[in-house]
Amino acid sequence: MITAEQQVRRTFVELADTLVADYDIIAFLDTLAHRVTSLLDVAACGLVVADQHDTLNLIAATTEDTRMLELMQLQNSEGPCLECYQSGSPVQDHDLAKADGRWPRFAPAADARGFRSVHAFPMRLRDSVIGAMNLFRTTSQPLDSDRIELGQALADVATIGIMHARTVHHYEVVTEQLQLALNSRIVIEQAKGILVERLGISIEEAFSILRQHARTNNNKLSETAHAVVDGRLHLSRPQQ
């Protein structure tokens, strides 16, 4: 049986192994978001990052409900990720059912989807905050101190992943790379939509098929998505 300590160690080793030249940042952040949910015992995780115009964008989410909640926050300029990004400090609320005064749009929407508490960690590069990592729980319980410490460490790993590149030394280059990643996210969403319509599957299943094909063929997730959108790649349901 794998202990919690072994699971944490394996996760950091796995993430470190992806930080190589020409790595796939979208796949890296997707892997990290999913590992966060199991390591911290939360129901879902979402990552938002700022572009060169200081506008937050969704870059990874573990579930479709999480994706919709993150987009709602960004569209309404309201929610824990906005507060976390603007303050540079962790933001938490242990009872979303009573948080409609704090977040009148976000809190009821999160509660309606079964989420009872939220915790947002800043993604920081030295003194600059580049985004936020949001954790959702189905219970009205705060994270304990150990999980908070680990959560911030994983948010820091996400930041390192975004900023990582051997030739990156200037902020202008970093923001350009980040914009490329955000553009790739758009193409991935388009490819998911095509698979949903073509195969009659859920968005989560569509993303799973895209990710599995990219891993099996040692391709970037964004490249696989481009091929689907351009009609050069026709994916099918996996064999049961």
Side-chain angles (χ1 to χ4, degrees), residues 22-201:
D22 198 33
Y23 76 107
D24 188 341
I25 188 172
I26 297 294
F28 168 81
L29 293 174
D30 174 70
T31 297
L32 184 144
H34 280 83
R35 295 295 179 270
V36 165
T37 60
S38 59
L39 289 176
L40 300 182
D41 189 27
V42 296
C45 174
L47 297 168
V48 295
V49 296
D51 60 20
Q52 69 266 39
H53 303 297
D54 200 33
T55 300
L56 287 176
N57 295 264
L58 174 65
I59 198 167
T62 56
T63 68
E64 183 61 14
D65 278 342
T66 314
R67 190 179 78 87
M68 295 303 296
L69 284 173
E70 297 289 11
L71 291 176
M72 177 181 292
Q73 292 186 74
L74 303 181
Q75 291 167 357
N76 294 310
S77 298
E78 169 201 294
C81 75
L82 272 297
E83 287 191 15
C84 182
Y85 174 68
Q86 292 166 357
S87 69
S89 301
V91 171
Q92 58 185 334
D93 196 293
H94 306 150
D95 193 352
L96 288 171
K98 299 178 181 178
D100 53 346
R102 184 179 189 181
W103 303 312
R105 295 183 180 88
F106 169 79
D111 186 57
R113 288 170 169 79
F115 297 126
R116 302 292 177 257
S117 57
V118 64
H119 200 127
F121 294 94
M123 294 167 59
R124 298 177 297 221
L125 177 65
R126 301 184 182 91
D127 295 329
S128 299
V129 180
I130 67 165
M133 182 177 78
N134 299 278
L135 309 181
F136 297 87
R137 305 190 81 184
T138 56
T139 58
S140 299
Q141 296 178 343
L143 294 176
D144 59 37
S145 59
D146 288 340
R147 286 193 174 95
I148 289 175
E149 183 178 2
L150 179 56
Q152 186 60 64
L154 289 165
D156 293 341
V157 170
T159 306
I160 293 170
I162 290 173
M163 297 303 182
H164 174 75
R166 289 180 296 180
T167 60
V168 172
H169 297 290
H170 301 289
Y171 180 75
E172 292 79 5
V173 178
V174 171
T175 54
E176 180 182 351
Q177 289 188 338
L178 185 53
Q179 188 60 51
L180 290 174
L182 295 173
N183 292 340
S184 295
R185 183 81 257 175
I186 293 173
V187 175
I188 291 170
E189 294 301 324
Q190 292 174 337
K192 285 162 58 178
I194 290 174
L195 293 179
V196 166
E197 181 177 1
R198 182 181 299 161
L199 303 179
I201 58 179

